[in-house]
Amino acid sequence: MQIDTLIIGAGAAGMMCAAHAGGQSGKRVVVVDHAKAPGEKIRISGGGRCNFTNMYCDPQAFISHNPHFAKSALARYTQWDFIDLIDRHGIAWHEKTLGQLFCDGSAKQIVAMLTGMMADAGVTLHLQTSVTHVAKSDRGFAVSLQTPDGALQIQARQLVLASGGKSIPKMGATGLAYDIARRFGLPVTDTRPGLVPFTFAEGRFVPLAGVAAPSRMVADGPAFDEAVLFTHRGLSGPAVLQVSSYWREGDPVTLNLDPDDTIAPALRAQRQHYGRRNLTTELATHLPSRLVEFMKDDWALTGNLADQSDTRIDALVDRIQNWQLMPSGTEGYRTAEVTLGGIDTDALSSKTMQAKDVPGLYVIGEAVDVTGWLGGYNFQWAWASGMAAARAI
Ligand code: FDA
């Protein structure tokens, strides 16, 4: 079968690209995916409500070996363009926090919008279809597929790799895009799990499992002011997921449990009036009581407020604000929301996402070495990079 464009992967980026590339002057666009349904990560994202973009989307919120690469696509298809798209499809939404936008109803509305747009554009979608062979041919790319109805040979003028990264293999994530890219000589940077909880040795935080607190966290990157959650296995919560993308094995992370600097002035003020109050009783008005109990044992906190000199208060607050923790690892691709690294941006045009040395080959979405922060940034990259390719093909 001879077609114009074959897109591998019916996820966020692949469907966005197909919906806009199809419909252009009778172009024949085919999308293949080995899953039973398209857009499975969209469906489960944001607790079923899909955090589909972020109002404050900015290139700084993306990690890549080339921090400038994402700028062009993000500028040419912005968060406001996607908001406009879902408004036109009557999908109601709200801001949860920090500019993060979610559907009021269900993430399935976004999947339905994209599949509907693909159908309107005359795109053919083959599900439960695996790619068995890809080669360059005179007319573009020769791709062998195994569909539920048997083998299918496709000749496509353009091939778009949109099969995502390695996170959550149980949901069908594979390294297919990386393998095909390598076969065509495109370099792939080291990949590792991102937006992923930390694990700690010896069940360090088991007594704290379930405790959440506001925090500021830093690894080797920007500080994030979001909640931390202690778990049976270690640490999770938005602050932890954010810094995990900047963390390297063997590095410590710094946890600040008093990001607003309120504890030291409060301890000093209360010491004047309630000197006989227990230090931990007062601390428990600022921090979760189970956390204070844990610190009492772990840090040997003793005495009344009157026993706390200014130096002792400063030392204690310094500890609360600069708690150095050494993760033993992360939960890995099993639970990571994204894959850091990927197909090297040096090999791609930032305007079109086309491989510089392989005309007709495009890479979009998570397969590219561009990873966003938590908060809708990764979908915005999928929409923007998908659109960049759609405009070019
Ligand atoms: P995506 O993974 O969406 O699609 C790839 C497609 O390729 C899949 O349909 C897959 O089945 C198919 N495929 C893979 N290998 C194949 C093969 N060998 N053969 C055929 N097909 C193959 N981001 C965000 O911005 N807001 C959020 O709320 C969330 N929430 C979230 C929750 C969870 C649990 C996860 C795991 C991830 C998120 N994310 C997120 C991240 C977001 O889901 C992710 O960045 C995008 O889905 C990436 O879009 P892509 O289209 O590149 O890949």
Side-chain angles (χ1 to χ4, degrees):
M1 184 199 289
Q2 174 74 49
I3 63 164
D4 294 295
T5 311
L6 177 65
I7 300 175
I8 302 177
M15 289 201 285
M16 187 73 177
C17 182
H20 291 90
Q24 294 172 15
S25 55
K27 262 202 170 150
R28 283 205 73 186
V29 177
V30 172
V31 183
V32 296
D33 199 300
H34 65 172
K36 280 192 184 140
E40 279 295 86
K41 280 195 183 162
I42 302 175
R43 184 179 61 80
I44 62 145
S45 67
R49 290 224 159 93
C50 186
N51 177 194
F52 54 81
T53 194
N54 193 294
M55 292 206 297
Y56 308 119
C57 193
D58 179 281
Q60 277 184 353
F62 294 85
I63 303 164
S64 169
H65 279 83
N66 177 357
H68 303 292
F69 181 82
K71 286 181 181 170
S72 169
L74 292 170
R76 293 191 313 127
Y77 192 83
T78 69
Q79 62 273 38
W80 311 112
D81 292 318
F82 193 76
I83 292 167
D84 182 51
L85 178 69
I86 65 163
D87 282 346
R88 279 189 275 122
H89 284 81
I91 299 174
W93 52 271
H94 61 277
E95 180 190 356
K96 203 165 172 186
T97 173
L98 303 170
Q100 301 167 6
L101 305 187
F102 289 75
C103 300
D104 286 358
S106 159
K108 289 181 193 162
Q109 293 174 282
I110 305 257
V111 179
M113 174 187 80
L114 292 167
T115 52
M117 286 168 66
M118 288 200 296
D120 290 347
V123 173
T124 307
L125 173 61
H126 289 286
L127 294 169
Q128 294 179 280
T129 295
S130 49
V131 179
T132 50
H133 190 68
V134 180
K136 196 92 182 75
S137 70
D138 299 345
R139 283 172 291 171
F141 299 87
V143 182
S144 309
L145 301 168
Q146 189 62 42
T147 77
D149 304 323
L152 178 65
Q153 296 292 329
I154 286 192
Q155 284 285 340
R157 286 198 302 113
Q158 291 134 344
L159 179 64
V160 182
L161 305 181
S163 55
K166 295 194 226 172
S167 35
I168 325 235
K170 250 192 179 165
M171 290 190 67
T174 66
L176 180 69
Y178 312 136
D179 297 343
I180 297 176
R182 281 195 194 97
R183 211 171 306 153
F184 287 113
L186 274 61
V188 178
T189 68
D190 287 346
T191 52
R192 58 183 216 281
L195 301 181
V196 62
F198 287 134
T199 53
F200 283 81
E202 296 154 22
R204 166 115 199 251
F205 296 122
V206 168
L208 290 177
V211 171
S215 77
R216 175 171 303 147
M217 262 195 118
V218 194
D220 188 17
F224 291 93
D225 280 16
E226 295 194 59
V228 60
L229 171 70
F230 294 86
T231 70
H232 279 97
R233 295 173 58 104
L235 290 177
S236 189
V240 172
L241 300 188
Q242 298 282 31
V243 300
S244 72
S245 295
Y246 291 91
W247 179 78
R248 297 284 182 165
E249 204 130 342
D251 286 351
V253 293
T254 307
L255 174 60
N256 176 352
L257 290 163
D258 178 26
D260 296 330
D261 252 332
T262 54
I263 296 181
L267 290 182
R268 286 199 180 92
Q270 298 300 75
R271 183 179 57 187
Q272 280 207 304
H273 306 292
Y274 307 102
R276 287 158 115 190
R277 184 180 288 171
N278 215 296
L279 169 65
T280 50
T281 309
E282 177 55 29
L283 272 182
T285 64
H286 303 275
L287 297 168
S289 49
R290 272 168 65 204
L291 186 56
V292 174
E293 274 303 302
F294 179 90
M295 288 171 167
K296 183 180 168 189
D297 298 339
D298 215 47
W299 298 1
L301 303 182
T302 54
N304 296 330
L305 288 179
D307 303 328
Q308 313 301 320
S309 63
D310 280 351
T311 316
R312 276 184 74 175
I313 289 177
D314 289 344
L316 171 61
V317 171
D318 184 55
R319 229 171 155 184
I320 293 171
Q321 293 186 322
N322 290 294
W323 198 0
Q324 297 289 305
L325 298 166
M326 189 63 84
S328 56
T330 72
E331 290 187 4
Y333 289 119
R334 189 179 61 81
T335 62
E337 282 198 15
V338 286
T339 302
L340 290 150
I343 295 166
D344 198 329
T345 55
D346 283 352
L348 304 174
S349 152
S350 60
K351 196 171 172 211
T352 63
M353 311 304 292
Q354 185 170 203
K356 289 175 183 164
D357 295 332
V358 190
L361 180 66
Y362 294 78
V363 191
I364 57 176
E366 200 179 317
V368 181
D369 170 27
V370 172
T371 308
W373 288 351
L374 184 78
Y377 299 96
N378 285 295
F379 279 135
Q380 186 57 38
W381 170 246
W383 316 137
S385 59
M387 271 305 279
R391 283 174 174 142
I393 58 187

